[in-house]
Structure formats: structure tokens, C-alpha cells
Amino acid sequence: EKEITDQTKMIGCFAQCFKHTPALISECQNNILQSFANFWELDDDDYNRNAAYCIAVMCQKSPATMQPLYENILAALKKIIDISEKQESKDNAVTAILKMVMASPSVMKPDVYMNDILTCLPFKGDKQENKSGLKFIVFLIQNCNKSYLM
């Protein structure tokens, strides 16, 4: 069990490093994502929460680097949403998706993901993520066909 806890903390540390030094993302992406894949199988909600946060940071700070991996990332985030028992983990996974949409709207078509994301708002587990939810709504208003929001 200690290994999972250490891994969970490590992913959180990587997320903070990527947040403040985005140039590291292109150098580390494959190793980090492989690490995620190894530990997702353990169904640890705390690990999944930090992994979703780290993915959100990576996609937000380095969208061009991460875009080729979006299909696999979406599958992993959906798995987190489906298997997590803690609402906080689910909220972080949804937040990662909405940040992917905002970072790469030409790849992640907002109208495709909008309804699924909006039905999750407001977040009830990780209430701090509601700030990201509000940013997403503003993003939709500014960048999308307004009829989608009616």
C-alpha cells in the first residue's frame, strides 16, 4: 500500500512541475503516461485523482505535444469516471476533459463534449474544480455556436 501512496504523491509533484515548467512535458510524457497505465489497474481513487489532474495540466500547458495521445487519454479518463468510488476523482477526470477541450478546440470539438461536461456541473466532490467549470462555460459562450447553449 505504501507504494501506491508514494506513487500518488509523485504524480502530484509531476503535475506541479509541469504546471510551472511546461517544457518538461515533451521530455517526460511517454514515461509519465506509461506510469499512469501501470497504476490505473490498481483502482486507487487517490492515484486516479492526481493522474487526472496531471493529465489536465499536461494537456493545458502543452496541447500540441499531447494531442496525438488524446484518444488514449480520453479512454483512460473515462475509465477513471467509470471505476472511481470517490466523486473527487470523477470530478478531476471531467475537469481534465474540459481542459483538453479548451486547450485544443479544433481537435476536441466543444459541441461533442459540452453536454456530458455540463451535466456534471457543479462539481460536488472537488468543489475547487467548479472554477474550471465556470471557465469552461465562459469558453463556450465566447467560442461556440450560441445555439448549443440554449
Side-chain angles (χ1 to χ4, degrees):
E1 192 168 328
K2 184 174 179 359
E3 183 178 0
I4 300 297
T5 302
D6 290 345
Q7 288 287 356
T8 299
K9 290 177 183 176
M10 179 192 68
I11 293 302
C13 289
F14 274 118
Q16 291 303 312
C17 290
F18 294 149
K19 183 177 181 179
H20 298 288
T21 313
L24 292 173
I25 295 170
S26 62
E27 295 178 34
C28 299
Q29 75 177 19
N30 290 330
N31 291 334
I32 295 296
L33 295 175
Q34 184 57 49
S35 174
F36 292 167
N38 292 338
F39 282 88
W40 273 323
E41 299 306 317
L42 300 174
D43 298 336
D44 179 273
D45 271 353
D46 294 326
Y47 182 87
N48 289 341
R49 181 179 183 185
N50 279 3
Y53 173 70
C54 190
I55 286 172
V57 170
M58 294 171 78
C59 291
Q60 188 175 29
K61 296 292 184 175
S62 189
T65 301
M66 300 303 291
Q67 281 176 7
L69 307 170
Y70 275 9
E71 186 175 332
N72 292 336
I73 290 170
L74 282 169
L77 292 170
K78 183 178 179 340
K79 181 178 179 185
I80 290 173
I81 293 166
D82 291 344
I83 67 169
S84 293
E85 293 181 15
K86 290 184 179 178
Q87 188 61 44
E88 293 88 343
S89 301
K90 295 174 188 256
D91 291 349
N92 277 29
V94 173
T95 299
I97 295 169
L98 70 83
K99 288 182 177 183
M100 290 168 69
V101 171
M102 291 190 296
S104 303
S106 62
V107 176
M108 300 281 296
K109 306 292 185 203
D111 54 302
V112 172
Y113 299 94
M114 180 183 62
N115 287 335
D116 289 334
I117 292 171
L118 291 178
T119 59
C120 296
L121 298 177
F123 293 122
K124 293 159 191 69
D126 189 344
K127 293 182 180 179
Q128 290 180 333
E129 293 298 345
N130 283 319
K131 187 183 332 179
S132 296
L134 288 173
K135 288 179 183 178
F136 181 70
I137 292 169
V138 170
F139 170 84
L140 290 174
I141 291 168
Q142 292 175 338
N143 296 289
C144 294
N145 181 338
K146 306 291 189 278
S147 65
Y148 290 129
L149 299 174
M150 303 301 170

